[in-house]
Amino acid sequence: MSLTLARLTERARADRTLRFTALAHHMTVEYRAETWHHLNRRGAAGVDRMTAATYAAALPPRRRDRQHRLRPHAYRAPAVRRVSIPQPGQPHKQRPLGIPTIEDRRVQAGVARMLSAIYEADFRPTSYGFRPGRGAHEALRTIRHTIRTRPIRWVYEADIRGFFDHLDHAWLLRMLRLRIGDPWVLRLVATWLRAGVWDNGHLTVPEAGSPQGGPVSPILANVYLHYVLDLWVERVVQPACRGEVHLVRFADDFLVLFSHRTDADRFACDVETRLAQFGLAVAPEKTRIVPFGRWTAAPRPFDFLGFRHVCGRTRNGRFTVIRVPVAKSLEKFLARVKADLAAHQHDRPREQQRRLTPQRQGLYQYFGRWHCYPKLKQVQRRVAWYGVRTLNRRSQRGRRSAEVWRAQPWFRLPAPRLLHPTV
């Protein structure tokens, strides 16, 4: 973290009611250069079709012009380009993404870093998504530890339906004004929320929602749900419950652990009313209350963050929580590998190897846990079989056995490893 961001965090922690009324002067040339250094430059191009490499080549002569446009508050956010990707676990559904231009992405990243530094002092420990030093595995570790050590008997799992499409602009700006008093930052956020969206040659202006794909969207989502859900559970739900209540939220996915069924049932009704006040709703097909825990007679598994949680026993007979990959997550990965091999069937084998290696490493890094190892070995064998079949389909002659192909040095791909502790 830079010195500027560290000072913002220090001041935010020292005074929880402080409103930051002067943030624009932090957007210096040095700060923007530092932001550019940390920015992901592998993203797709925006409506101007300018890539990160092209932008970097033209960066020095345009730096003074951009700095001049930022100081008099004359910056205007360009429209974003909408693309659709398959919904995780539901290939027939599409998830829209808004791709900003590389210059707009850089400005968004600069503002997002300042907002993150300020709100890190306010965010609750129950939030794990899009925060420094926190991630999915920290959330999974908290769930496992809480279920093993606390009297948990019921799990309420839910998913907010179309959260990024129904985020209310007026409520979000109202929440930001509690901490942010700089009109420049507020105007920029409002501009990004109402930026036009190019979709198949048509320009639309959204009335609600925040386009996924921009660097500022994750922090805005965390701010929104911080006031809508996190503080509400901490200050209203927990004091009114008979037993223990533990919230774990990762972005717009969350679950709540309860000791008593009556508390879980009351929460299921109250949370729908609470979300409706802010233009949100839970997805009924992904929302349920399941019995789970050490003191449950007939526990049922539940899914969260790509893992299926199952009650089990250690070798010593002690209660534990076993986590295995959700089947649809692995099938989605295999389908993507199969489609990629088919699309690049006639590429050089070494090119296919370079393309498959990071895909498999990403899967192994996320699911690299003890009970996931057998499933990952099955994925390894399936991918190898897809590779052999693709190579044999390149020609009707010269078909070889799997052993012959696997003996080639360019056919070797990374194997699954245990990368995460069992706690």
Side-chain angles (χ1 to χ4, degrees):
M1 180 181 295
S2 65
L3 182 60
T4 298
L5 301 181
R7 289 176 177 174
L8 291 178
T9 303
E10 182 180 356
R11 294 189 61 189
R13 288 176 178 172
D15 188 356
R16 298 301 177 92
T17 61
L18 176 65
R19 295 180 72 239
F20 292 82
T21 58
L23 293 174
H25 67 280
H26 292 301
M27 192 69 73
T28 61
V29 175
E30 293 76 13
Y31 178 81
R32 290 166 59 81
E34 180 184 357
T35 301
W36 173 254
H37 177 72
H38 293 284
L39 188 66
N40 179 18
R41 309 180 193 181
R42 295 177 296 178
V47 292
D48 58 356
R49 299 298 178 179
M50 180 178 291
T51 63
T54 306
Y55 181 85
L59 188 59
R62 300 175 57 186
R63 179 179 296 170
R64 182 175 301 178
D65 177 64
R66 283 192 306 275
Q67 194 71 15
H68 174 74
R69 289 189 291 111
L70 283 174
R71 284 180 178 175
H73 304 174
Y75 183 80
R76 293 293 181 269
V80 299
R81 182 171 66 91
R82 173 168 292 178
V83 297
S84 298
I85 62 174
Q87 189 83 354
Q90 298 175 323
H92 60 283
K93 293 185 178 180
Q94 299 290 320
R95 169 181 293 181
L97 292 180
I99 309 300
T101 63
I102 189 64
E103 180 176 354
D104 190 48
R105 195 180 309 167
R106 187 185 183 190
V107 179
Q108 286 192 31
V111 175
R113 294 178 67 204
M114 288 190 289
L115 293 179
S116 298
I118 295 172
Y119 279 98
E120 272 302 309
D122 298 342
F123 287 156
R124 314 315 298 162
T126 55
S127 171
Y128 291 89
F130 308 115
R131 295 182 58 186
R134 287 171 166 257
H137 289 284
E138 285 73 22
L140 295 169
R141 191 176 299 118
T142 299
I143 294 171
R144 187 172 187 265
H145 177 74
T146 303
I147 294 176
R148 292 181 62 188
T149 59
R150 308 307 303 170
I152 301 301
R153 297 180 178 87
W154 302 94
V155 176
Y156 174 87
E157 56 172 334
D159 178 77
I160 300 178
R161 172 182 292 172
F163 168 75
F164 286 94
D165 297 331
H166 298 90
L167 187 146
D168 189 274
H169 295 172
W171 271 115
L172 176 59
L173 293 174
R174 182 178 177 182
M175 296 170 184
L176 287 174
R177 291 190 184 98
L178 296 176
R179 268 300 209 176
I180 308 300
D182 192 326
W184 176 76
V185 175
L186 296 174
R187 187 191 63 82
L188 273 181
V189 172
T191 303
W192 286 323
L193 293 175
R194 300 186 180 93
V197 178
W198 277 103
D199 188 6
N200 294 326
H202 299 282
L203 180 64
T204 58
V205 179
E207 298 293 336
S210 175
Q212 301 183 65
V216 77
S217 294
I219 180 62
L220 295 182
N222 269 340
V223 170
Y224 199 81
L225 291 177
H226 167 73
Y227 291 103
V228 173
L229 192 63
D230 299 350
L231 291 182
W232 175 69
V233 171
E234 179 181 313
R235 300 178 180 179
V236 179
V237 175
Q238 289 181 342
C241 289
R242 292 174 51 200
E244 295 189 13
V245 180
H246 300 273
L247 168 69
V248 177
R249 180 179 64 83
F250 188 90
D252 57 331
D253 295 331
F254 70 95
L255 59 82
V256 189
L257 311 176
F258 292 94
S259 298
H260 297 283
R261 177 61 188 261
T262 54
D263 294 337
D265 291 336
R266 184 169 60 252
F267 177 82
C269 298
D270 294 344
V271 71
E272 294 185 5
T273 304
R274 174 70 177 180
L275 294 178
Q277 296 175 358
F278 299 91
L280 303 176
V282 296
E285 66 277 6
K286 298 181 180 180
T287 303
R288 58 174 182 161
I289 300 175
V290 297
F292 196 91
R294 183 195 304 268
W295 294 275
T296 304
R300 295 166 53 191
F302 67 91
D303 300 339
F304 190 67
L305 298 180
F307 286 87
R308 171 153 294 184
H309 297 69
V310 183
C311 291
R313 297 286 175 178
T314 64
R315 295 180 179 178
N316 298 328
R318 297 180 180 179
F319 172 81
T320 188
V321 178
I322 299 175
R323 292 162 295 186
V324 296
V326 177
K328 65 180 181 181
S329 299
L330 300 183
E331 291 298 329
K332 182 186 69 173
F333 171 79
L334 291 173
R336 186 167 63 248
V337 170
K338 185 177 180 180
D340 184 77
L341 287 173
H344 302 86
Q345 178 176 343
H346 295 285
D347 289 0
R348 293 182 178 181
R350 292 188 182 276
E351 294 293 332
Q352 296 180 355
Q353 181 195 40
R354 280 194 287 266
R355 190 165 45 253
L356 288 177
T357 296
Q359 296 180 11
R360 294 180 63 170
Q361 287 178 339
L363 182 76
Y364 297 157
Q365 289 175 1
Y366 187 75
F367 291 107
R369 294 183 176 273
W370 173 252
H371 294 100
C372 303
Y373 189 76
K375 293 289 185 181
L376 296 181
K377 291 295 291 184
Q378 294 179 11
V379 170
Q380 182 185 18
R381 290 191 291 267
R382 288 274 297 273
V383 172
W385 182 73
Y386 288 157
V388 170
R389 187 178 63 175
T390 301
L391 291 171
N392 285 332
R393 285 181 174 179
R394 293 161 64 95
S395 175
Q396 296 181 357
R397 297 178 298 175
R399 292 178 177 267
R400 303 179 183 180
S401 63
E403 289 74 14
V404 174
W405 287 120
R406 291 174 181 174
Q408 303 295 329
W410 45 260
F411 192 85
R412 299 170 187 173
L413 293 171
R417 295 184 302 165
L418 303 181
L419 302 175
H420 302 285
T422 56
V423 297

